[in-house]
């Protein structure tokens, strides 16, 4: 797995149970996965030489991020490396304009979009309807590379960054949903229940599984859409599809081809975790059951607070609610940085969400009623 972040760290736990040999290409020894994976190699994912040396002897190369340069991916494939997902599929997570154009070509509903290079083009796209959203064509994640512009002056400031941008309509959605699907080289597919995601400041804060009150027909439509996109794009491994639920129906917002934050609940909450499922898919093993292990699950991200005393707070969290499962990533604490998550299983989503929020808040701030 190229990338030494928390996704690789949690994938390593799944490899242990499967008896799969696992290597990680990390930028430095302090990265989340590098701390726990014996097969860690240090190198730069932007270096083709480092990637080639890392891939030597591997059966499959996969990723915990989308940032490996596309020419390097093509070169590895020409070397005979099994890159999963492949360069052709990964293009649609690396290039938002290409993704939007491909979705439009498939007749899949997305927010209205256009490439914009000037303030005049942004104003023409808005046509008097502000705000609009500007997105970096490449490199954005966790709210980075996304700007909500209330005026032409705001758009001018963003355009001054000198990066390729697309404009999108500002969608008045009812809520945000996500679906994680898996697809193997033999085209076996599996899809997890649709979840609701709670976003604040561009960061996913909570995931409710399954999405409360979602009509069965709409849930099935979202799952079928995720499987269709995986098939049409030729995905091998996991595909996470983030969507807007609107009065007019579902709109596809973002794609990711790797384990995803909206699927962390599956470690305890599903029969097969997303991390094991990704391994099964890229290794062309039969896929596991994506069914819920309990009536409901709620995951809350733990963000960094003002100090580093996170681990000293375990005692309170574990004593106050022994059923809360805590996952920490071994990352240096910085305000607002994702440093872990908590998951709670049960029957009442509102109760589970309250318990997960209180646990995440205490780990962040040392009090249960923080944000």
């Amino acid at each position: 797995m190229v990338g030494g972040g928390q996704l690789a760290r949690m994938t390593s736990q799944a490899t242990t149970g499967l008896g799969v040999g696992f290597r990680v290409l990390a930028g430095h020894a302090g990265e989340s996965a590098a701390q726990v994976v014996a097969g860690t190699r240090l190198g730069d994912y932007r270096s083709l030489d480092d990637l080639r040396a890392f891939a030597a002897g591997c059966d499959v190369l996969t990723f915990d991020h989308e940032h490996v340069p596309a020419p390097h991916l093509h070169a590895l494939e020409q070397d005979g490396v099994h890159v999963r997902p492949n360069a052709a599929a990964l293009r649609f997570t690396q290039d938002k304009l290409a993704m939007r154009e491909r979705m439009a070509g498939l007749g899949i509903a997305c927010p209205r979009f256009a490439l914009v290079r000037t303030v005049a083009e942004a104003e023409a796209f808005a046509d008097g309807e502000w705000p609009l959203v500007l997105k970096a064509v490449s490199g954005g994640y966790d709210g980075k590379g996304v700007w909500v512009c209330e005026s032409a002056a705001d758009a001018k400031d963003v355009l001054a960054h000198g990066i390729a941008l697309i404009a999108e309509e500002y969608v008045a959605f009812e809520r945000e949903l996500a679906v994680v699907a898996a697809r193997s080289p033999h085209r076996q597919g599996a899809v997890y229940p649709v979840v609701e995601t709670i976003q604040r400041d561009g960061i996913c804060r909570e995931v409710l599984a399954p999405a409360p009150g979602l009509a069965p027909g709409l849930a099935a439509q979202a799952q079928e859409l995720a499987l269709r996109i995986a098939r049409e794009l030729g995905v091998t491994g996991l595909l996470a599809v983030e969507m807007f639920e609107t009065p007019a129906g579902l709109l596809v917002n973002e794609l990711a081809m790797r384990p995803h934050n909206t699927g962390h609940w599956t470690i305890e909450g599903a029969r097969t975790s997303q991390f094991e499922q990704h391994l099964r898919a890229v290794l062309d093993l039969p896929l596991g059951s994506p069914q819920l292990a309990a009536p409901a699950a709620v995951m809350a991200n733990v963000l960094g607070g003002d100090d580093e005393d996170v681990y000293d707070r375990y005692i309170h969290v574990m004593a106050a609610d022994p059923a809360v499962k805590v996952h920490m990533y071994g990352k240096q604490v910085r305000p607002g940085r994702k440093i872990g998550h908590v998951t709670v299983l049960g029957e009442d989503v509102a109760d589970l969400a309250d318990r997960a929020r209180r646990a995440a808040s205490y780990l962040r701030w040392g009090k249960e009623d923080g944000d």
Side-chain angles (χ1 to χ4, degrees):
M1 181 168 272
V2 176
Q6 64 262 27
L7 301 180
R9 182 185 179 108
M10 287 182 276
T11 301
S12 73
Q13 298 167 357
T15 65
T16 301
L18 292 175
V20 172
F22 190 58
R23 296 180 187 173
V24 165
L25 182 65
H28 58 83
E31 288 188 4
S32 183
Q35 298 172 28
V36 298
V37 176
T40 295
R41 311 292 177 88
L42 299 184
D44 188 343
Y45 66 85
R46 296 163 295 190
S47 163
L48 181 56
D49 288 341
D50 285 358
L51 288 166
R52 279 176 163 152
F54 176 68
C58 288
D59 295 302
V60 171
L61 195 70
T62 191
F63 312 91
D64 90 336
H65 61 71
E66 295 91 3
H67 307 310
V68 178
H72 294 358
L73 297 172
H74 288 291
L76 291 168
E77 290 175 343
Q78 291 171 0
D79 292 345
V81 177
H82 293 296
V83 177
R84 295 175 178 164
N86 63 25
L90 281 167
R91 175 179 177 233
F92 299 108
T93 66
Q94 296 179 324
D95 185 326
K96 284 187 169 57
L97 178 60
M99 183 270 283
R100 284 285 185 255
E101 290 175 339
R102 181 69 169 131
M103 294 298 101
L106 293 171
I108 293 172
C110 294
R112 185 173 61 88
F113 70 95
L115 182 67
V116 293
R117 302 176 184 86
T118 66
V119 175
E121 289 178 343
E123 288 185 293
F125 179 85
D127 194 24
E129 296 291 331
W130 298 88
L132 63 74
V133 179
L134 292 179
K135 290 185 177 181
V137 169
S138 62
Y141 68 97
D142 272 355
K144 298 178 177 66
V146 178
W147 298 268
V148 178
C149 299
E150 300 286 347
S151 65
D154 288 346
K156 181 179 179 180
D157 290 342
V158 176
L159 286 159
H161 295 322
I163 60 175
L165 296 165
I166 59 171
E168 292 185 356
E169 65 175 315
Y170 184 84
V171 178
F173 56 84
E174 295 178 341
R175 58 176 167 173
E176 295 184 76
L177 304 173
V179 189
V180 174
R183 184 173 180 270
S184 74
H186 275 92
R187 297 184 295 278
Q188 183 187 10
V191 63
Y192 288 91
V194 183
V195 302
E196 178 179 350
T197 67
I198 310 298
Q199 313 274 339
R200 289 200 288 278
D201 300 322
I203 298 175
C204 178
R205 297 294 295 272
E206 299 161 16
V207 175
L208 315 180
L214 185 63
L218 198 59
Q221 180 185 342
Q223 290 176 308
E224 290 166 2
L225 186 57
L227 289 169
R228 181 190 170 200
I229 294 171
R231 181 181 69 253
E232 296 282 5
L233 301 188
V235 175
T236 297
L238 289 187
L239 172 70
V241 183
E242 295 181 275
M243 305 176 184
F244 295 135
E245 182 183 2
T246 76
L250 299 174
L251 296 180
V252 170
N253 184 34
E254 299 286 355
L255 304 179
M257 296 177 191
R258 51 169 170 76
H260 194 257
N261 192 206
T262 60
H264 289 354
W265 65 271
T266 63
I267 297 175
E268 289 85 24
R271 299 296 181 188
T272 308
S273 79
Q274 66 163 343
F275 301 98
E276 180 180 337
Q277 196 77 294
H278 184 68
L279 290 168
R280 288 185 182 220
V282 300
L283 294 171
D284 208 10
L285 299 170
L287 299 181
S289 169
Q291 297 304 309
L292 284 156
V298 172
M299 185 278 295
N301 280 314
V302 178
L303 305 185
D306 297 327
D307 60 72
E308 298 187 5
D309 293 334
V310 175
Y311 300 97
D312 291 340
R313 299 179 187 135
Y314 274 173
I315 294 175
H316 172 88
V317 170
M318 293 177 177
D321 193 341
V324 170
K325 300 296 292 186
V326 178
H327 296 262
M328 301 303 291
Y329 305 152
K331 296 167 73 171
Q332 183 178 356
V333 176
R334 293 201 300 265
R337 186 187 198 188
K338 290 179 187 174
I339 58 172
H341 72 268
V342 299
T343 305
V344 191
L345 308 184
E347 297 185 1
D348 186 309
V349 172
D351 173 66
L352 299 179
D354 177 65
R355 290 162 60 193
R357 289 168 191 153
R358 286 190 283 116
S361 174
Y362 197 89
L363 288 169
R364 184 181 189 186
W365 301 115
K367 56 183 180 179
E368 292 188 355
D369 57 351
D371 189 7

